[in-house]
Each structure stands twice: as structure tokens, then as C-alpha cells.
Amino acid sequence: MTDSGTHKKNLNHQGSQSVNAKPKGKNGHKRPTSGNKPDQAVQASQQAGSRKAKSPRELAMDTLVKVAQTGAYSNLQLNRTLQDAGLQKADAGLVTELVYGTIQRQATLDYWLGRFVSKGLNKLEPWVHQLLRMSAYQLLYLDRIPAHAAVNEAVTIAKKRGHSGISGMVNGVLRSIDRGRGELQASAIKHADPIVQIALRHSYPEWLVSRWVSAYGADQAEQICAAGNAHPHSSVRVNTLKGSREDAIALLTEAGYDAKLSAVAPAGIAVERGGNLADTAGFRDGLWSVQDESSMLVAEVVAPKAGMQVLDCCAAPGGKSTHLAELMEGKGKVWANDLHAHKRDLIVTQSERLKLRNVEAITEDALKLADRFKPNSMDAVLLDAPCSGFGVIKRKPEIKWTKTLGDVSDIAAVQQRLLNAVCDLVRPGGVLVYSTCTIERDENEKQIAHFLQAHSEFELDPGWPEPILDQLRKAGVIDEHFEGQAQLLPQHFDSDGFYIARMIKRS
């Protein structure tokens, strides 16, 4: 299983989405083959099915409609689409690019489409709207796709799904966009209100841009938005109990990957291009795990020692739990808790693959862990809390369109209850680490300020590993006034946005 540090939890403390369910589009899905020659009837049936098979662009359009209408996670819906279609690598890659890119850029695409759809976008059928968005994305953002291919395929889909009037409208709108491509540049969008301008240029809801401008300033907010639209690179965490980063880089390079040492994570390797990192001998042999570099910092900040008793409250799919166990040299105990039994199975799978015997996966509501463990029984407690997930928009672009301001306040309330529920498990002198994959201050700095005010027995601890602090200083994440909490933004290391706070319980 993988752990990229993505938004894997919802308001039920540990939600229904696991980050191992990542898009497989860039790795492709080959059709199953049979060793037996089919008879003529089977061949005819297969040929008929082939004629009716949907094109990659039609599959992408259907996926976009389902994500928009049902609120499905884009990566899970895309997985289902690709698995059902059994596409070859290139076609699966095209579907993946169209789905993610169209969702990422939908506000900017609508801004331009609005110039050419005379009756208004809100009057279009959902599939027509998504077809226009997806096709405009190809024309305006994908240089490698010929304009005639994007337009002709869109017209073909429109004729198949609708009537001649729709196909004619689609043809006219897209040809107008193609002719005007030189002027339809995001950088050329101007607006008197800087918040509106950032929102239109980078395709974000205005309410979210407004919050980031208030929290970080206009320049930083625009950088956050731009980073959220970038293609995420991959990364692995080396199991240092089995080998060094240098050894792992050698293996990855030999396998055709572009791998280099992570700039921030001590056990991390950044991978710019290559195939599915979870489908490698090194992964299967437990030499590395797939995880985002920002996420890798969390266990490093806990800094557990061999022999300790450590609790990971919201642990699935197990990336941070297994990292803690590796840092403990396989000694002591990591209690890896999750609300759901099937999520517990993911933790067990990870632990077994890495040959870690000091991880015990358990199933419990994190709010009730104090009923299971005695007060002051843990040397360290990690609460990787449910959050809005705004730090992982580049991996799940629909988050910026589906989350609301009300969601932020609701999630913050859950986080507060969880902190209050687990803090008494930390022994005097022990460590409590709180982390999220969001950049919302209500869920991060303000959450911890409120907690410390209510729990005077805890204080922030700046005693993070020095190699990490050194890299954070160089990137401008922290300064000389560092107290023990840090907010990584997605542009800092081209990784996920992550917040981490380390606290000590006074003896």
C-alpha cells in the first residue's frame, strides 16, 4: 500500500478514503488475454464490443460528469473507469491527464467558454459542459495534442450523445477557441480585484483565495494556487532497516527511474519520472514505501527511540506508523489505530511487507482510545488528524470545488475533540505530535493555540531533528523564532502542504 500523506480522512475521524487508491492511469491497464483461440461467435461478440467501446476522451468525459454530479473522489472514480475499460498505457495516460487537468482548470476554462457559448454555460447539459471543458483544456493547456484531434473527437462524441444542433455548437465553440488561442492565456486575465484575478488565472474558488490572501498575503497565495495546479512528483521512503538511500537510488536508476535524494526528508527519495513505484521489486521486498516527502517529516518529528510505547491515533493506511517503527529499529511497540477494520488490514499489509514486528494494528474510534489505554501510558502520541486536505489539491483537485467554509469549521471541531481525547495518554515528559495535510490556520496554528491555552501541561517543543530544521530554514519555512510548529506550503518543496506541531508534556 502507499501513503502519500494525502487527505485520507473525513469527519468520521478516519474517513472512507485511503491514499493507496491512487490513479493508475500513467501506468496503464492491459486487456486480459486468453491462451485459447476463441470460436467465431466469441470473435464476433468481441468485435461488436470493440465497435461499441468508448474512446479515451469519452471515458474521461463520463468520469468528469460522475465526479461533478456525485461528489466522488476523482482518483477513485478514475480508478474504476480505467479498470473497467482495460486501456493501454498511452490511452490510460490521456484519460488521467484529461480528468485531472479539466478539474484543476475548470474555473479558467469556464471563464473563456463563457465568451463563446451564447446561451450561457448554466443551460448546458452536464455532459455537454464537461465535453467543452475537457476539449478546451486540450486546446489551451496540452501542446502535444493536435487541435484537429481534440475538436474532431469532441464533435464525434457530441453526435453520438446528442443531436446535430449540439454537435454544431460544440464544433463552433471549439474552433473559435482554437482560433483565439494566442489571446486566451491565463496570465493575460486582468481584474481590478486581486482575489478575483488570482481565482480566475489559477482556477480556484474566490472564498478560498480570499482566506489564503488574508493568511499569507497575495504573493504567497498566488504561489499556493500555482503549486496546486502542478503535476505532483512521486517519492519513496527508504526502509533504513534494510538499506541506505544511496542503495535505493541505485536500484531505482537501474530500473529506469529519475531518482534523487529528497531535499527535506532524511529517508526520502524524489522520483520525477518512471512507472508505478508500488509495482517494483524494491517495494515488494520492503526496501521502500511510497509516501509524500512532507508526510515523511511527521514521524521524524515524533523522533521515537527504540523500546518506546507509541500510539498513532488515525493511522491508516499505515505509512506514518511503519515509519515510526523503522525509526525505533523494530523495537518497542507502535499501536496503529484506525476506525475501520478494512483500514486496519491496510496497516497490517504494510507492516508485513516491511517485516516490522513492532506494529500492532487495532480498530477503535480515536475518541475512545482513552478507554482502551491507561493515562500517561504512552511515550509519544501522534494525531495525524482529519482535515480539509487543502495541502493535497494537486493530487485531488476536486477538493477545492467540493469543500466549503462550513467544512473547515466542522473539521476543526472534530480535531479539537480528538486532541482533548488523546492528550492524557501522553506520559509526563512525553511527546504529542499533531499534523494535518492542510494549510488552513483554523485547523493548524489556531487549533494548537486553543489546545495549549486549555492544556497548560503541554508546551510547544522546538527540538526537531536538526537536519530537517536546516532545510526548513533554507526554504524559508521557519525563521530564528521557531517554537516547534511549521507550516509547509506546496511550493516549498514541490510536495504536499503539511502542518506539524511537536509538543511536550511537562514533567
Side-chain angles (χ1 to χ4, degrees), residues 257-277:
Y257 292 85
D258 182 3
K260 61 183 180 181
L261 296 177
S262 168
V264 64
I269 295 174
V271 182
E272 291 295 340
R273 64 175 183 270
N276 181 4
L277 289 163

Side-chain angles (χ1 to χ4, degrees), residues 477-495:
V477 179
I478 62 174
D479 56 23
E480 66 273 14
H481 303 298
F482 178 69
E483 296 180 334
Q485 59 181 333
Q487 176 68 72
L488 282 79
L489 301 177
Q491 67 267 30
H492 283 140
F493 298 99
D494 294 325
S495 58

Side-chain angles (χ1 to χ4, degrees), residues 70-132:
T70 68
Y73 286 110
S74 60
N75 62 339
L76 298 183
Q77 186 61 52
L78 181 61
N79 256 357
R80 284 191 285 268
T81 297
L82 296 177
Q83 288 170 353
D84 291 344
L87 299 178
Q88 297 295 328
K89 182 176 181 179
D91 287 342
L94 176 60
V95 175
T96 301
E97 176 64 47
L98 294 181
V99 169
Y100 283 130
T102 301
I103 294 173
Q104 282 178 334
R105 301 288 183 175
Q106 69 180 47
T108 312
L109 295 170
D110 283 353
Y111 174 73
W112 284 318
L113 285 169
R115 295 185 181 184
F116 305 106
V117 179
S118 57
K119 68 178 184 179
L121 299 178
N122 61 333
K123 294 184 179 179
L124 295 174
E125 291 186 55
W127 71 267
V128 178
H129 192 180
Q130 294 296 346
L131 177 61
L132 286 173

Side-chain angles (χ1 to χ4, degrees), residues 237-251:
R237 185 193 80 238
V238 174
N239 181 358
T240 53
L241 297 181
K242 290 196 168 190
S244 67
R245 286 201 295 176
E246 290 73 19
D247 293 337
I249 286 179
L251 290 172

Side-chain angles (χ1 to χ4, degrees), residues 17 34 75 88 119 158 162 238 259-260 267 297 324 393 416 432 442 467-468 482 487 497:
Q17 181 165 3
S34 171
N75 62 339
Q88 297 295 328
K119 68 178 184 179
V238 174
K260 61 183 180 181
L297 299 184
L324 290 165
I393 282 176
Q416 181 178 335
L432 172 62
D442 283 1
I468 292 176
F482 178 69
Q487 176 68 72

Side-chain angles (χ1 to χ4, degrees), residues 154-466:
V155 172
T156 298
I157 293 172
K159 287 179 179 178
K160 177 181 177 181
R161 292 290 185 95
H163 50 72
S164 59
I166 292 177
S167 63
M169 182 272 294
V170 168
N171 184 55
V173 168
L174 295 180
R175 293 195 181 281
S176 295
I177 288 177
D178 184 32
R179 287 192 297 270
R181 278 197 286 178
E183 298 178 0
L184 303 179
Q185 301 292 323
S187 59
I189 297 175
K190 304 291 184 183
H191 198 281
D193 186 337
I195 291 172
V196 176
Q197 180 170 295
I198 292 171
L200 288 175
R201 282 185 175 183
H202 299 282
S203 190
Y204 281 76
E206 290 178 20
W207 75 268
L208 196 53
V209 175
S210 178
R211 286 180 70 82
W212 292 346
V213 169
S214 297
Y216 301 106
D219 289 344
Q220 283 268 57
E222 186 157 18
Q223 290 178 42
I224 291 169
C225 292
N229 289 332
H231 284 272
H233 68 261
S234 300
S235 53
V236 298
R237 185 193 80 238
V238 174
N239 181 358
T240 53
L241 297 181
K242 290 196 168 190
S244 67
R245 286 201 295 176
E246 290 73 19
D247 293 337
I249 286 179
L251 290 172
L252 288 164
T253 302
E254 183 180 347
Y257 292 85
D258 182 3
K260 61 183 180 181
L261 296 177
S262 168
V264 64
I269 295 174
V271 182
E272 291 295 340
R273 64 175 183 270
N276 181 4
L277 289 163
D279 187 23
T280 56
F283 180 87
R284 289 188 290 270
D285 294 341
L287 302 183
W288 56 69
S289 299
V290 181
Q291 187 177 15
D292 182 76
E293 292 165 271
S294 295
S295 177
M296 294 179 205
L297 299 184
V298 176
E300 300 278 0
V301 170
V302 176
K305 301 292 189 295
M308 281 187 170
Q309 295 288 310
V310 179
L311 171 63
D312 186 353
C313 301
C314 304
K320 298 178 183 68
S321 296
T322 53
H323 193 188
L324 290 165
E326 290 165 4
L327 292 170
M328 294 163 62
E329 302 175 3
K331 302 170 184 175
K333 177 67 71 72
V334 176
W335 300 91
N337 176 71
D338 198 88
L339 179 64
H340 303 288
H342 70 280
K343 296 291 190 66
R344 176 191 175 277
D345 293 341
L346 300 179
I347 302 170
V348 171
T349 298
Q350 285 235 51
S351 302
E352 291 178 347
R353 178 180 61 82
L354 295 165
K355 302 296 189 293
L356 294 168
R357 305 300 178 214
N358 61 328
V359 177
E360 181 161 341
I362 61 175
T363 302
E364 183 61 84
D365 184 337
L367 289 171
K368 299 178 181 179
L369 286 170
D371 297 333
R372 183 168 189 142
F373 297 104
K374 294 180 180 180
N376 305 319
S377 60
M378 296 293 165
D379 297 295
V381 170
L382 167 60
L383 176 58
D384 183 41
C387 69
S388 59
F390 291 135
V392 298
I393 282 176
K394 70 174 67 176
R395 301 181 191 278
K396 298 180 183 176
E398 74 280 359
I399 287 175
K400 59 185 174 182
W401 307 118
T402 57
K403 297 295 182 183
T404 66
L405 184 58
D407 290 329
V408 173
S409 59
D410 289 346
I411 291 170
V414 172
Q415 294 164 345
Q416 181 178 335
R417 293 200 296 273
L418 287 169
L419 276 167
N420 290 334
V422 303
C423 65
D424 287 343
L425 299 176
V426 181
R427 67 166 175 80
V431 173
L432 172 62
V433 170
Y434 173 86
S435 64
T436 71
C437 58
T438 193
I439 59 176
E440 270 292 315
R441 289 192 166 166
D442 283 1
E443 301 177 58
N444 296 338
E445 293 93 340
K446 292 181 181 179
Q447 184 72 260
I448 292 304
H450 184 274
F451 172 78
L452 293 174
Q453 187 175 18
H455 295 271
S456 58
E457 71 274 22
F458 283 91
E459 61 182 349
L460 282 169
D461 176 32
W464 292 27
E466 189 55 41

